[in-house]
Amino acid sequence: MQDFFNMLSKVLSTFGAAVFVPVMLFIIAKCMGVNNKKAFSSAMLCAVGLTGFNLVINSYGGIIAPVVKSMVENAGMNLPILDTGWQATSIIAYSTNIGLIFFGLAILIQTCLFLVKWTNIFMPSDLWNNYSFMVWGSMLYLLTDNLWLSLLLMVVQNLYILLFSEIAAKRWSTYYQYPNCCMTAPHHLESLPFAVLMNIILTKLGFNKIKINADELQNKFGVLGEPMFIGLVVGGLIAIIGNFNKLNELSAWGTVTTSAVSTAAVMAVFPKIAAIFASAFTILTDAYKKKAKMSGQGRIWYLAVNDAVGYGEPNTLVTGTLLIPIMLLISFVLPGNMTLPMIDLVALPYMVEVFVSISNGNIAKSLVMGAIWFSLGLLFCSNISPYFTQVVSQVNPVLVQGGLMIISFGIMAHPLIALSFLAFLTQSPIIIGLIIVLYIVLYVLFKKYRVGITNFLENCNTI
């Protein structure tokens, strides 16, 4: 069995989402009666879109990451917990035995829950992001040596995320314009309750009247308000801060201009790639509508897609990019924080998708939500880092040489999912039981008031 899970992990890591997701899409299309030509076309468009996302993100990350690192170093703060990034965390998750066991279990659970209609989210199409559950389960197993408790934690987290995903599915699909698609990344969706509550509060405070989004900025300022120009300015400012001590050198200005133009390019190119990716699901949507009409009834369901597909939406990218210096500044002055966000700062456009979609692209709201939520997340990172460092020391000791404590800001600066881990860490049947009961209550309430909840999220930003 262990060999099977190792092989499965190797296959997934070898081929990646750009191959695995299109294959899943082709299979789903065939199950819905789509002919081979259209099913293959859908899969290819999906593969091209995902590959395009990865090419742009990886290229941009290679340019902006050193700039952000310089910005952190120039601040001169001594925070003992280092953010080593989600990439390293994912590798660690797939290197633990308990993680691999859950990975195999997740395929079965997520598929069965969809088939029996417990959920309308088909999550196996984004299997990669299960590593987010696997990290928490691995830490719990290390600390308690309890296999079943660790598996239960990951299953319960998965159930909550499926519920949150289904609640937000229509809003996310509508906002990002991917028909019948949703996002199931655990490290993003756990913020949904906070996002909904804060959106209501900020609306009451008049934030709906603050028309800060890409379209409004463009209408008011013309070319100066276009996403490309915003990217040019923000990318340039980050590089200027990062090279503040070397601005008298020509090479520093080379870095500034490269950062500025690269950020502008991402703002311009990403929507084009997103359009290619979205077209892959038009065939599936048409087939679904035809099948529903023929049968006289239709099940509204959503295909889980990688969070990368929302990264380059203009309001999302602007919000995430603006939060880079904001979160860095907060980390320096936040009482009780010992975490230095660094590698995952460039992942902030991923991390704000829930805030942006719930607020319907209101950048002012999204910035406030993100600043508050991730500030709380920094405090959780500071407390959880010793546990995570212990896991890493067993899997990859090189990362923790010299007594360094590490964390992933992008994966673990998320209060609700961190609280679930801490609750299971108590090993208290009462506390764990309450978490499970709460899920059941929320699930029943959502199923009963699904239409009202969905309509509320669609219309709560109108004045």
Side-chain angles (χ1 to χ4, degrees), residues 14 61 177 198 204 212 293 304 318 354 375 417-418:
T14 299
Q177 298 182 29
M198 279 302 298
K204 296 289 185 183
I212 303 180
K293 187 176 181 180
V318 169
V354 171
S375 294
I417 206 163

Side-chain angles (χ1 to χ4, degrees), residues 76-142:
M77 299 298 292
N78 182 27
L79 297 172
I81 300 173
L82 181 65
D83 164 32
T84 55
W86 66 266
Q87 298 92 336
T89 302
S90 65
I91 294 170
I92 291 163
Y94 278 100
S95 300
T96 64
N97 291 332
I98 184 71
L100 288 175
I101 291 172
F102 177 76
F103 182 76
L105 184 63
I107 298 173
L108 179 63
I109 292 174
Q110 293 163 8
T111 303
C112 289
L113 289 176
F114 177 78
L115 292 177
V116 301
K117 299 185 179 180
W118 181 269
T119 180
N120 288 318
I121 306 298
F122 187 74
M123 192 172 179
S125 52
D126 189 30
L127 277 176
W128 168 256
N129 273 318
N130 279 308
Y131 76 83
S132 190
F133 300 127
M134 292 152 62
V135 168
W136 297 103
S138 298
M139 286 197 298
L140 186 63
Y141 181 65
L142 172 75

Side-chain angles (χ1 to χ4, degrees), residues 29-327:
K30 291 303 299 176
C31 290
M32 297 187 70
V34 177
N35 63 46
N36 289 332
K37 182 179 178 180
K38 288 186 175 180
F40 182 74
S41 175
S42 178
M44 279 301 300
L45 287 167
C46 177
V48 169
L50 283 175
T51 301
F53 288 137
N54 290 331
L55 288 174
V56 173
I57 292 172
N58 290 340
S59 177
Y60 180 62
I63 293 170
I64 200 68
V67 175
V68 171
K69 183 178 180 181
S70 298
M71 183 173 65
V72 171
E73 291 173 349
N74 281 344
M77 299 298 292
N78 182 27
L79 297 172
I81 300 173
L82 181 65
D83 164 32
T84 55
W86 66 266
Q87 298 92 336
T89 302
S90 65
I91 294 170
I92 291 163
Y94 278 100
S95 300
T96 64
N97 291 332
I98 184 71
L100 288 175
I101 291 172
F102 177 76
F103 182 76
L105 184 63
I107 298 173
L108 179 63
I109 292 174
Q110 293 163 8
T111 303
C112 289
L113 289 176
F114 177 78
L115 292 177
V116 301
K117 299 185 179 180
W118 181 269
T119 180
N120 288 318
I121 306 298
F122 187 74
M123 192 172 179
S125 52
D126 189 30
L127 277 176
W128 168 256
N129 273 318
N130 279 308
Y131 76 83
S132 190
F133 300 127
M134 292 152 62
V135 168
W136 297 103
S138 298
M139 286 197 298
L140 186 63
Y141 181 65
L142 172 75
L143 296 167
T144 65
D145 198 30
N146 189 325
L147 174 66
W148 297 109
L149 185 67
S150 303
L151 288 174
L152 181 62
L153 168 65
M154 292 184 279
V155 170
V156 170
Q157 287 179 339
N158 199 164
L159 288 172
Y160 269 99
I161 293 304
L162 277 170
L163 176 59
F164 291 170
S165 178
E166 192 165 357
I167 291 171
K170 184 177 180 181
R171 177 88 289 268
W172 192 93
S173 176
T174 301
Y175 181 77
Y176 286 103
Q177 298 182 29
Y178 295 118
N180 294 96
C181 293
C182 67
M183 188 256 292
T184 54
H187 36 280
H188 305 326
L189 271 169
E190 60 89 44
S191 64
L192 180 67
F194 171 81
V196 173
L197 178 61
M198 279 302 298
N199 190 53
I200 295 171
I201 294 173
L202 293 174
T203 298
K204 296 289 185 183
L205 293 175
F207 271 68
N208 270 20
K209 298 176 183 178
I210 305 176
K211 301 296 184 181
I212 303 180
N213 59 53
D215 291 335
E216 290 293 334
L217 289 173
Q218 189 169 347
N219 290 335
K220 289 182 178 180
F221 301 106
V223 67
L224 300 181
E226 291 184 0
M228 277 193 301
F229 183 80
I230 295 171
L232 188 75
V233 172
V234 175
L237 284 175
I238 291 173
I240 288 173
I241 296 171
N243 291 271
F244 190 76
N245 297 329
K246 300 185 294 182
L247 292 180
N248 60 333
E249 300 177 13
L250 184 62
S251 60
W253 288 103
T255 301
V256 170
T257 54
T258 299
S259 174
V261 174
S262 297
T263 306
V266 171
M267 294 283 197
V269 172
F270 236 92
K272 310 294 184 184
I273 302 173
I276 295 174
F277 184 82
S279 65
F281 296 91
T282 303
I283 295 171
L284 197 65
T285 303
D286 292 342
Y288 163 76
K289 291 178 179 177
K290 188 180 297 184
K291 199 175 184 70
K293 187 176 181 180
M294 290 175 59
S295 63
Q297 59 182 357
R299 177 189 181 189
I300 299 176
W301 62 279
Y302 294 84
L303 183 73
V305 294
N306 194 271
D307 48 340
V309 303
Y311 180 98
E313 188 275 326
N315 297 317
T316 305
L317 195 50
V318 169
T319 301
T321 305
L322 288 174
L323 273 173
I324 291 176
I326 291 173
M327 290 313 304

